[in-house]
Amino acid sequence: MCHACFAAAYNPAELPQAVQFICCRHCSAREVPGGWELHDSSVDAAEAALRGAPSWANGLVGNQLEFELRKLDPHRFRASGSASGTLDGVALEQQFERDILLEFRACTSCSRQAGGYYEATLQLRTPRQVVLKAAVARVHAALEEGAPEFFATEDGPVRGGHDFQLSSTDRARALSRALLLALGGEVKESSSLVGRREGRDLLRHTFGVRLPPVLAKDAVIHDGVVWRVAAIERQRARLHCASETRPDWKPKLSELEVARRLEEEREGQVVSRRSRELQLLDPFTLRTVEARAPAKWNGSVTAVRDGGDTFFLWK
Ligand SMILES: [Zn+2]
Ligand SMILES: [Zn+2]
């Protein structure tokens, strides 16, 4: 057979007369063997369904499916395009037009979500709003990045913190550990029996996360000097003395609950410098004050204010 006859005799692919699939009416996920595949829209889902439809000829290389989709109604798209590839060195191409039929249902996670399904409660607790905000933002990011079957059915502020009802115990546990690694604090896990299914106890877990009262880089006042939070390691924080030269302080996180946090930090200005003797502009009072720089100092300084006193923080 010559190339022209070969190309005329063989199709690169077989396509079914119509492509059918089940699409979630809420989130556009597409049902696939063993679960649901996530899509941004029903058009994306229809495109994926069509891409999975051809059975390509054995030995075909460089398979390509090119097409355009037209929405005829919410349940039906029309695809027109071409399938092509190379078989035994001969380029094959075939034009096609097929309808893609959508059947809408609710996917597993959407129907669970609608039913208020949850396995675990994540409780974030801290007396400090900024710390709570940072933790809540991390949980939201994890929910957005995570698999579609990881979701929150409840998500809202409660007295002293914020609660989430989450669809997966394992992921709630992993999330509470990730929060501890990033922010410090402690987690208490408890569970209660909520029923039995198929002869097994059904437990609902609660992860109570006690967040620390400070975040890394915070400045707090303690013992008449200002400390900078360098790191939070589980139950303890390590703080560098910022306003004087003192060894690091490693208190328990609970000790920091009473330490005043200094919110506002302003740039200090060096007016004049002779060796370690300095004249600095106090950015709060706009007065020039004398100060002595620490032996190790990189030349930049900030200031915080507590009561009637300005503290200079050396870098
Ligand atoms: Zn021929
Ligand atoms: Zn869905």
Side-chain angles (χ1 to χ4, degrees), residues 120-122 150 166 168-180 187 189-191 205 207 209:
T121 303
L122 178 66
F150 185 44
L166 299 173
S168 155
T169 302
D170 289 344
R171 285 177 212 219
R173 184 180 292 118
L175 190 50
S176 61
R177 285 190 187 146
L179 284 173
L180 290 199
V187 61
E189 183 176 340
S190 57
S191 61
H205 291 254
F207 299 90
V209 179

Side-chain angles (χ1 to χ4, degrees), residues 270 272-279 291-292:
V270 180
S272 71
R273 175 175 186 180
R274 233 184 47 227
S275 170
R276 286 169 61 191
E277 305 305 321
L278 306 175
Q279 286 202 313
R292 187 171 160 81

Side-chain angles (χ1 to χ4, degrees), residues 119-141:
E119 288 184 357
T121 303
L122 178 66
Q123 302 177 328
L124 306 180
R125 295 293 180 270
T126 170
R128 290 271 315 286
Q129 276 306 312
V130 274
V131 177
L132 186 63
K133 253 176 106 175
V136 168
R138 279 175 185 273
V139 175
H140 284 157

Side-chain angles (χ1 to χ4, degrees), residues 216-217 228-233 236-240 253:
K217 295 198 173 83
R228 171 97 58 204
V229 179
I232 297 170
E233 293 141 1
R236 283 184 181 275
R238 187 158 48 79
L239 296 93
H240 292 320
L253 289 175

Side-chain angles (χ1 to χ4, degrees), residues 21 23 28-30 39-50 102:
F21 75 98
C23 188
S28 302
R30 178 172 73 105
H39 291 286
D40 288 338
S41 64
S42 58
V43 188
D44 285 357
E47 201 179 303
L50 182 63
L102 285 71

Side-chain angles (χ1 to χ4, degrees), residues 74-258:
H75 294 265
R76 184 185 292 262
F77 289 89
R78 182 155 296 162
S80 27
S82 66
S84 59
T86 304
L87 187 63
D88 295 337
V90 182
L92 303 180
E93 184 170 356
Q94 135 200 38
Q95 306 294 318
F96 68 84
E97 188 173 82
R98 290 290 188 283
D99 281 3
I100 305 169
L101 307 172
L102 285 71
E103 187 185 326
F104 286 102
R105 279 189 216 154
C107 73
T108 319
S109 71
C110 284
S111 47
R112 283 178 164 185
Q113 215 158 345
Y117 173 92
Y118 72 101
E119 288 184 357
T121 303
L122 178 66
Q123 302 177 328
L124 306 180
R125 295 293 180 270
T126 170
R128 290 271 315 286
Q129 276 306 312
V130 274
V131 177
L132 186 63
K133 253 176 106 175
V136 168
R138 279 175 185 273
V139 175
H140 284 157
L143 285 166
E144 259 167 47
E145 286 161 16
E149 57 277 11
F150 185 44
F151 54 80
T153 40
E154 283 285 329
D155 167 0
V158 294
R159 199 180 160 165
H162 199 106
D163 279 5
F164 296 88
Q165 286 179 352
L166 299 173
S167 61
S168 155
T169 302
D170 289 344
R171 285 177 212 219
R173 184 180 292 118
L175 190 50
S176 61
R177 285 190 187 146
L179 284 173
L180 290 199
L181 279 181
L183 301 171
E186 56 183 319
V187 61
K188 288 211 172 81
E189 183 176 340
S190 57
S191 61
S192 58
L193 190 65
V194 291
R196 286 178 71 79
R197 186 192 290 159
E198 288 156 16
R200 290 176 55 199
D201 287 346
L202 274 184
L203 296 175
R204 197 164 271 165
H205 291 254
T206 299
F207 299 90
V209 179
R210 175 112 197 122
L211 294 162
V214 287
L215 293 170
K217 295 198 173 83
D218 276 358
V220 298
I221 187 156
H222 165 80
D223 200 13
V225 292
V226 178
W227 303 81
R228 171 97 58 204
V229 179
I232 297 170
E233 293 141 1
R234 298 285 167 131
Q235 319 278 346
R236 283 184 181 275
R238 187 158 48 79
L239 296 93
H240 292 320
C241 189
S243 62
E244 284 181 16
T245 306
R246 289 198 194 178
D248 283 0
W249 176 38
K250 283 184 144 184
K252 284 190 178 163
L253 289 175
S254 54
E255 289 176 61
L256 286 171
E257 275 174 23
V258 292

Side-chain angles (χ1 to χ4, degrees), residues 1-6:
M1 241 195 287
C2 75
H3 280 186
C5 290
F6 186 86

